[in-house]
């Protein structure tokens, strides 16, 4: 990745403040956990020299974090033109109302209930608030309201929880594995069409080689589905029994989340 101009990779395999691209800067929120990895990546996006910026996923409602984001987003004479939520999970969105208050910027999200003054925000919307173009791409699956943002000038895609910097994504209760598999195929096509060079995830470090990462994600999902089919054929019945077979190699702290994934896999295999 170091060969890419303008790219600031994380140091090692952990997310870090300041990682990003020419137009994207990470502010890492202080909420690490097994589910949020190193914490939530809040992204500040701006064309160099632009008088405005865009903030993606203010993160948890943590005053210290929100003030750090504000400081970077408003450095120099800059002001925040737009806040965007990749989806409604609280580790991404809980600070949005407070951050809108601090910055005076509207909040855009695919779930209308989370929007503040961003009527008309939706799939295909092109934002120019940071002085560069950001295209909203609907990427349902992790949740029904998940979106990604294409930062074409940097060959970057902000993926929220649709693709993570480490490990793989969980299908939440309001998500759908069928949607998720279609989304991965769409993003794989986008990687070629848009010449993607880097993925900027909602948790974990930057990912170079987007096409390779997406191929891995797609292969991993197919493999897990095969393992679930095999576990069922071998007599597993409940989601917990399937988890114990398929996720035997995974940290037990993640089994409750894995059980949610297995429910999504069973629903998918049952045509849900
Ligand atoms: Zn999430």
């Amino acid at each position: 990745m170091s060969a890419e101009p303008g790219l600031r990779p994380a140091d090692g395999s952990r997310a870090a403040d300041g990682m990003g691209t020419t137009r994207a800067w990470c502010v890492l929120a202080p909420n690490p956990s097994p589910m949020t990895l190193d914490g939530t990546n809040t992204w500040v996006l701006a064309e160099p020299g632009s008088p405005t910026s865009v903030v993606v996923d203010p993160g948890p409602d943590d005053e210290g974090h929100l003030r750090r984001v504000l400081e970077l987003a408003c450095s120099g004479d800059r002001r925040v033109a737009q806040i965007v939520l990749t989806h409604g999970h609280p580790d991404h969105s809980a600070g949005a109302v407070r951050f809108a208050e601090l910055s005076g910027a509207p909040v855009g999200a695919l779930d209308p209930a989370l929007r503040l003054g961003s009527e008309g925000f939706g799939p295909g919307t092109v934002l120019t608030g940071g002085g560069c173009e950001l295209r909203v791409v609907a990427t349902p699956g992790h949740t029904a309201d998940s979106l990604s943002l294409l930062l074409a000038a940097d060959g970057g895609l902000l993926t929220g929880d649709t693709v993570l910097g480490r490990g793989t994504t969980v299908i939440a209760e309001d998500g759908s594995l069928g949607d998720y598999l279609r989304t991965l195929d769409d993003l794989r096509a986008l990687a070629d069409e848009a010449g993607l060079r880097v993925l900027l995830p909602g948790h974990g470090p930057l990912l170079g080689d987007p096409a390779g990462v997406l191929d891995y994600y797609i292969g991993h999902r197919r493999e897990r589905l095969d393992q679930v089919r095999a576990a069922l054929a071998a007599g597993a019945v409940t989601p917990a029994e399937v988890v114990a077979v398929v996720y035997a190699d995974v940290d037990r702290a993640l089994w409750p989340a894995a059980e949610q994934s297995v429910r999504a896999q069973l629903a998918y295999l049952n045509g849900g």
Side-chain angles (χ1 to χ4, degrees):
M1 262 203 292
S2 53
E4 286 288 341
L7 213 57
R8 296 180 309 282
D11 195 13
S13 63
R14 298 179 67 81
D17 276 344
M19 70 176 184
T21 63
T22 302
R23 296 164 182 83
W25 293 78
C26 176
V27 183
L28 181 61
N31 61 338
S33 76
M35 292 300 296
T36 60
L37 306 181
D38 315 316
T40 300
N41 296 333
T42 298
W43 292 100
V44 175
L45 308 176
E47 185 71 25
S50 168
T52 51
S53 59
V54 172
V55 170
V56 180
D57 289 346
D61 191 4
D62 178 297
E63 189 72 11
H65 173 65
L66 297 178
R67 298 242 171 219
R68 288 175 63 232
V69 173
L70 191 70
E71 198 183 339
L72 177 62
C74 297
S75 67
D77 263 346
R78 226 156 48 178
R79 68 180 175 79
V80 182
Q82 177 79 52
I83 301 161
V84 178
L85 301 178
T86 60
H87 63 300
H89 283 163
D91 56 317
H92 299 260
S93 70
V97 169
R98 176 62 181 147
F99 194 73
E101 224 170 73
L102 289 170
S103 64
V107 179
L110 290 189
D111 180 352
L114 296 172
R115 287 181 206 147
L116 282 174
S118 290
E119 286 72 24
F121 185 101
T125 294
V126 175
L127 303 167
T128 55
C132 50
E133 284 197 357
L134 287 169
R135 180 151 61 89
V136 176
V137 182
T139 49
H142 169 67
T143 60
D145 71 335
S146 286
L147 64 78
S148 296
L149 281 175
L150 177 63
L151 174 56
D154 285 348
L157 185 74
L158 288 93
T159 55
D161 283 2
T162 297
V163 177
L164 299 177
R166 274 203 309 284
T168 55
T169 296
V170 164
I171 307 301
E173 262 169 71
D174 68 328
S176 146
L177 182 56
D179 284 349
Y180 189 67
L181 293 171
R182 276 186 292 277
T183 282
L184 291 180
D185 287 341
D186 289 350
L187 291 183
R188 180 62 186 83
L190 184 67
D192 288 342
E193 284 161 30
L196 291 183
R197 297 191 298 272
V198 60
L199 300 179
L200 309 168
H203 305 279
L206 301 191
L207 294 166
D209 187 21
V213 168
L214 289 161
D215 283 340
Y216 168 78
Y217 261 62
I218 290 164
H220 172 79
R221 287 290 158 181
R222 292 213 183 101
E223 201 177 300
R224 283 289 192 223
L225 279 169
D226 286 345
Q227 289 169 339
V228 171
R229 284 191 193 97
L232 294 173
V237 176
T238 66
E241 287 167 356
V242 173
V243 167
V245 176
V246 174
Y247 291 82
D249 59 336
V250 170
D251 183 350
R252 276 177 177 248
L254 297 174
W255 278 20
E259 195 168 319
Q260 177 52 40
S261 280
V262 164
R263 267 190 231 108
Q265 285 154 347
L266 295 174
Y268 175 76
L269 293 174
N270 290 323

